[in-house]
């Protein structure tokens, strides 16, 4: 009761909107992602449902994240429950969106390690909370070690990377969504 209707997310329109906002052709996105133009067209028209790996390739080609594309895919609800998926448990890194729909914020949970060399830079502010384990975050030329219960706040535009330093680390990242114009010119 109170759960959002369980239907597969349709990411096609979100992919198309993002591609068009960047003034990119399907051919450019295909070249950047390594996926074919026909497959990308099928994704945009919701005739194909991309795997997690394919969606991440598309997101990287569009300079966004798979989580953002998924967040933009589902219509907004005033109340929504996102249930923990027991089937997600297992070895290896995992991520899941904690918020569905096109909202003013997004939240994701990351479990395990991920590509430690990958650098992130979000347009708007974000908060990283260590639910379990420990991480090392590099931001603004400094390294920060965080343990269970610690948080790190990053203002929009800060380049950063992170890595889990303990197995089965869980991090929750809450951020103002990329489509929100929350950042004003900061005087430095």
């Amino acid at each position: 009761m109170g759960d959002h209707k369980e239907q597969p997310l349709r990411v096609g329109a979100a992919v198309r909107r993002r591609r068009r906002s960047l003034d990119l052709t399907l051919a450019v996105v295909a070249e950047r992602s390594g996926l074919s133009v026909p497959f990308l067209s099928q994704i945009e028209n919701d005739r194909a449902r991309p795997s997690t790996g394919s969606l991440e390739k598309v997101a990287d080609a569009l300079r966004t994240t798979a989580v953002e594309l998924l967040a933009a895919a589902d219509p907004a609800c005033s109340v929504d429950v996102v249930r923990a998926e027991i089937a997600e448990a297992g070895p290896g890194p995992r991520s899941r969106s904690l918020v569905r729909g096109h909202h003013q914020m997004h939240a994701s949970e990351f479990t395990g390690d991920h590509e430690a060399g990958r650098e992130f830079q979000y347009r708007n502010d974000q908060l990283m909370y260590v639910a379990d384990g420990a991480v090392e975050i590099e931001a603004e030329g400094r390294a920060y070690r965080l343990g269970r219960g610690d948080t790190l706040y990053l203002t929009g535009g800060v380049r950063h990377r992170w890595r889990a330093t303990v197995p089965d680390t869980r991090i929750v990242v809450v951020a103002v969504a990329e489509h929100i114009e929350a950042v004003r010119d900061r005087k430095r």
Side-chain angles (χ1 to χ4, degrees):
M1 186 162 146
D3 286 2
H4 184 63
K5 58 187 172 212
E6 297 299 327
Q7 294 180 356
L9 294 176
R10 295 172 48 157
V11 297
V15 169
R16 183 182 300 114
R17 279 191 303 274
R18 178 67 180 180
R19 178 179 62 81
R20 287 181 177 168
S21 75
L22 297 171
D23 289 326
L24 299 176
T25 64
L26 281 173
V28 169
V29 176
E31 182 179 317
R32 288 181 179 179
S33 67
L35 302 171
S36 71
V37 171
F39 180 62
L40 291 170
S41 177
Q42 288 178 341
I43 291 172
E44 283 194 358
N45 291 302
D46 287 315
R47 282 183 266 142
R49 189 169 170 199
S51 67
T52 301
S54 292
L55 187 59
E56 288 174 356
K57 288 178 183 181
V58 170
D60 285 344
L62 296 174
R63 296 186 180 108
T64 189
T65 65
V67 171
E68 277 292 326
L69 290 176
L70 289 170
D74 203 30
C77 297
S78 58
V79 175
D80 191 15
V81 175
V82 178
R83 300 273 181 208
E85 294 290 331
I86 295 171
E88 287 181 10
R94 297 175 308 282
S95 68
R96 71 181 183 109
S97 179
L98 301 176
V99 177
R100 288 187 287 217
H102 193 69
H103 298 286
Q104 294 182 7
M105 59 159 266
H106 70 81
S108 303
E109 177 186 65
F110 298 91
T111 304
D113 213 344
H114 73 105
E115 188 181 328
R118 183 174 179 190
E119 187 174 72
F120 298 92
Q121 181 181 26
Y122 296 101
R123 172 172 131 157
N124 294 319
D125 296 1
Q126 76 175 60
L127 175 86
M128 298 178 79
Y129 169 74
V130 181
D132 285 310
V135 296
E136 186 172 272
I137 301 170
E138 184 183 315
E140 295 291 307
R142 293 185 58 196
Y144 301 88
R145 293 174 192 256
L146 296 133
R148 183 176 183 208
D150 291 342
T151 62
L152 179 78
Y153 188 91
L154 300 163
T155 58
V158 172
R159 291 183 185 275
H160 62 284
R161 69 182 87 228
W162 66 272
R163 68 181 186 86
T165 57
V166 173
D168 298 321
T169 291
R170 282 188 321 123
I171 296 182
V172 175
V173 177
V174 179
V176 175
E178 292 287 314
H179 70 278
I180 300 296
E181 296 283 339
V183 175
R184 296 182 187 187
D185 290 333
R186 291 187 170 101
K187 295 182 182 180
R188 298 199 181 225

